[in-house]
Amino acid sequence: MSEIQVKGKIIREIYSNGSYKILAFQPFADYIKKVKTNKYGNISLVGELGFLSVDEQYELNIREESTNNYGTSYSVVSCPSLTEINLDELSREESFEILTSFTTANQANNILDAYPNFIAKVIKEGKDSIDVKKIYNVGESYLNAYVRELNEKYKYIHILNKYTDYQFNISDCKKLYQEYYSNENVETALNETPYYVLIEVLGRSFESTDKLLCSFRTELVESEQRCEAMIMDILHENESQGSSRIKGSILWEKAHDYDSRLLKLIKDVCVNSANIYYDDNDKYIALMSTYLAEIRIRNWVMEKLSNDSKLDLNWRDYKVNLDGSELSDMQLSALKVFCESQVCLLTGFSGVGKTFSIKALIRMLDDHNMTYTLVCPTGKASRVLAEQTGKEASTIHKRVLQGEINSDVLIVDEFGMVGLDVFCMLINTIINPNMRVVLVGDPAQIPSISLGKIFDDFITSNIIPMTMLTEVFRYKSNGSLFVATNVRQGKSFFNDEEMVKHEDNVYSVCDNYKFIETEEDDIPNEVLKQYHKLLNKGIKPKDILILAPMNIGSMGTYAINNAIQAEVNPPKANEVVITRKINGNTITFRVGDIVLNTKNDYHAVSYEAYKKMQEDELGVLSEDDVADSMVVNGQSGVIREVLGKEGIIVQFDETLIYMNKSKVMGQLLLGYSISTFKAQGSTTDYTINIISESHHKMLSRGLLYVADTRNKKSCIDIGNISTYEKALNVVVNDNRDTFLLDLLTQNVEKDLTN
């Protein structure tokens, strides 16, 4: 879409949320015919427009974005009438006029009383040069807002105006300043390394970046940096499948499909690029940052193994639990291994008693006044660990954000879900060189979606001391454990006359497992029927979880969520709701719904911070200014209030969080039913699992194992037995290719003796 040059005046602010605004712009008479005006004779400007003020006149270059019932909206490409101000010549009166465009007169005077050169100081030296305590009646949140307003009006606008070909917005300009500190450095970076700037700094895709740059910088078409960007894009795609490296021959094929003109440059780029690691012997290629992460993990392991310090603790004294139950010899041996090594693995399948060993270990640590930190990769897993142990546990991300870890012991549960970046982040936070680390996990779980396969590589390397628990307790007295054990071993159990009671279409094991054989088309109805039976027993929706391998389709989580919602939380007269469309499905969020957050949000806004924004009479505070909380991927909550188009209030555990509509649309789902993959690491009282032929491409032994081990009280599988038995024979081999295993096993003896 071509640019349009217009002159006119901002006449009204239609909507504002921090920098994002919708402004009514009245073009002057000479420019009316250039644009599509609405019935009021003006146009709507949308985007991050904090640099524009109501009642001010501007010359703008704009681009048509969309047309709806309210008319045509435009984005601002540049604002030639705004240029950088001469900071050294601003009078107090001029500074006051600038500040009062977004502050009160009293606040502007307070600011200038404390810092007469406030504007110059902010723009030249940044926010950290200002001591907010010296400014009367201006707190941290308002300082954040005022600094942002000044930067957008008089600092970032220079980049927006100068580099229109790059299609920057104000957020882009802010990121560029944070990365390069000055206009001169930004210009140098764009001239010399535009692919890096647009992809790595601004987060654009290689495809969109490549199309844009090749359209106006033709000298890049057969350049080494374009080739490097293409290779890195291939490597990122490879990493999205879990592998940390790729064979050169495979990369060559992918590059040939993209642009054969770059093939002649590949070898030299791989050898010379600081961003790419190339193994000339085995012809493997990886992102340098990823290779160094695996090196970091390998070195950490070797350092731990080379430390022969042992703990002289009476671990045998902890065979009997406080409730009188006893640990098996194998469970107890986990304590012995812990005392003998600074790093160890505790592995085992569902029902073997890993938690018993962890609880005994914690009791031993408490008795000897040793400090410990308990972490998990997901919020649900950390809550499960906290419930099981009675001790505080947190997600890895949250604990890392809290600062350095200096405890005597670190216990990481559900370690199979931990990827390279998260584990490096964790071990880089450890400051106690003598910390003992226990890594706990179930090797039968389906592969993690995270990069790498650290847990599997650690086990396969056979160099880290490990306790492998194999005895399944209550195998013949707990239906779920009986089923899980058979599933893990790939054994059908339906004809086991001793354990399985068969009546009509129901196969029962003990009092906590049922398989209800159901015609394919009737599976959704049977799911609703069983859900109702649980509700009629007084079980609350928050304690029931429906699992499905897929989100889409008539038996996917989206459809099941809508069906359950219609039963337990139906529409009410005059209610306010927010709807989201995803993959052809409409999701409605209403008060009382159970919801699932699907992204880590380290800049979440608490309800108290949201109220502060609402009470801001000037309307300058944004979410970035007041963000004071966090919500993690996989965390479930309950909607307490729907605020219309503005967003919703969700209760996550004990905290009320405000989520704007953008976050609702981008990271929130109904949580009555979730995918089996999302359920890893979590448990609930009752689960209902869908076994549909329509999911056959996703069903596997590992997936059934995960689904049948998520419950604490009872599990119901609904579907077709033949489909279930076919899945038992499907073993998903983790074909991820990593450097880590080779790094752990090559020249180990030499490393341990040096």
Side-chain angles (χ1 to χ4, degrees), residues 41 107 131 162 171 185 197 293 334 375 380 391 440 457 489 500 516 519 525 537 592 608 610 639 673 678 740:
Q107 284 183 322
D131 183 356
K162 186 173 182 179
S171 288
N185 291 341
V197 173
V375 295
K380 286 189 175 183
K391 304 294 183 180
V440 186
D457 286 342
Q489 297 171 347
V500 180
I516 302 176
E519 293 293 331
N525 292 331
K537 292 179 180 179
E608 289 72 21
Y610 165 73
I639 297 177
S673 173
K678 286 283 186 186
L740 185 58

Side-chain angles (χ1 to χ4, degrees), residues 194-211:
Y195 277 94
Y196 177 84
V197 173
L198 269 62
I199 296 172
E200 302 299 330
V201 177
L202 300 185
R204 297 186 184 179
S205 70
F206 167 71
E207 186 175 1
S208 64
T209 296
D210 193 48
K211 182 178 180 180

